[in-house]
Amino acid sequence: MNKEIVIFISGKGSNALNIINHFSESENLTVSHVYSNNKTSPFFDLKLDSNIKVSFFQNEDLNTKVFKELQYIKPDLIVLAGFLKKIPTSYIDYFKKRIINIHPSLLPKYGGKGMYGSRIHDNVIENNETETGITIHYVSEKYDSGEIIYQRKIVVDDIDTAKTIEKKIHKLEHKYLPKIIESILI
């Protein structure tokens, strides 16, 4: 039976595109919807498979219109791929263990409200960390505190900058997020 994936983004959507491409030939897993609260995201300019619905929404619609749509869609998994809004408790209750997030640090380090993207990598450099990485976790009521599904570490070299760390992290995200989605759904 075909399993349906819905993705939420706030930025460029590179992880969303990677997931879509990864599962484009799959007979078992399909990305059906991508939701974004950023109408200037370059993701909206992409030419995607016409079966994938891409929607912009206002943040205030997250609790109402978007939630109702998701209840109708009944996705097998909701993936937060660079989505920066807090997920309402109603989602967590309704879609128990069906919402995951990818975070660009080794949680619990550098997690929480306001900790995303280059802010994390700047902190990693400032604090002379010797390693960092990615965490894929279930979404809970608190930012970045849900049950950890998977972590992958990388070494922070003396010559690394926030930009070079970001590139390394993106490679990890693109390699492992589709694999973890697969392991959850199959």
Side-chain angles (χ1 to χ4, degrees):
M1 191 169 118
N2 197 26
K3 303 273 179 107
E4 205 167 332
I5 301 163
V6 170
I7 304 172
F8 278 77
I9 65 170
S10 289
K12 293 189 288 270
S14 68
N15 269 311
L17 184 59
N18 182 57
I19 294 165
I20 289 166
N21 289 337
H22 184 87
F23 294 119
S24 64
E25 303 293 316
S26 173
E27 293 176 17
N28 303 324
L29 302 173
T30 307
V31 175
S32 63
H33 293 73
V34 177
Y35 285 93
S36 177
N37 62 343
N38 174 6
K39 67 179 169 211
T40 63
S41 172
F43 193 84
F44 288 111
D45 300 327
L46 299 174
K47 301 288 179 255
L48 298 172
D49 177 330
S50 60
N51 294 326
I52 300 171
K53 185 176 182 221
V54 180
S55 305
F56 166 73
F57 68 93
Q58 304 282 347
N59 287 330
E60 58 269 14
D61 293 333
L62 190 59
N63 275 317
T64 54
K65 191 176 113 188
V66 176
F67 186 56
K68 284 185 180 118
E69 283 180 26
L70 288 171
Q71 287 174 309
Y72 176 77
I73 296 165
K74 295 180 174 63
D76 295 284
L77 192 66
I78 298 170
V79 179
L80 308 184
F83 184 64
L84 302 180
K85 287 296 293 174
K86 191 167 194 304
I87 292 296
T89 307
S90 56
Y91 282 63
I92 296 161
D93 293 340
Y94 191 86
F95 298 103
K96 277 205 187 316
K97 287 265 192 161
R98 287 191 288 158
I99 309 173
I100 65 170
N101 181 45
I102 185 155
H103 188 77
S105 77
L106 296 171
L107 292 174
K109 282 188 170 185
Y110 308 111
K113 185 171 173 53
M115 290 304 285
Y116 57 88
S118 60
R119 293 177 180 189
I120 292 170
H121 311 314
D122 288 338
N123 276 302
V124 165
I125 295 293
E126 285 169 25
N127 293 326
N128 297 311
E129 297 285 357
T130 56
E131 62 183 20
T132 188
I134 61 168
T135 303
I136 299 169
H137 64 93
Y138 286 107
V139 173
S140 66
E141 291 82 10
K142 287 183 174 170
Y143 278 110
D144 303 323
S145 64
E147 178 189 337
I148 292 173
I149 301 165
Y150 182 82
Q151 286 187 311
R152 187 74 183 202
K153 295 177 184 179
I154 56 166
V155 171
V156 177
D157 296 314
D158 292 342
I159 56 168
D160 271 324
T161 63
K163 279 269 180 255
T164 61
I165 289 172
E166 184 176 32
K167 282 183 182 162
K168 289 180 183 181
I169 292 295
H170 275 309
K171 279 185 182 166
L172 284 183
E173 290 175 339
H174 291 178
K175 181 175 182 179
Y176 292 103
L177 184 54
K179 291 179 180 181
I180 297 305
I181 291 169
E182 228 164 347
S183 72
I184 292 169
L185 291 177
I186 294 181

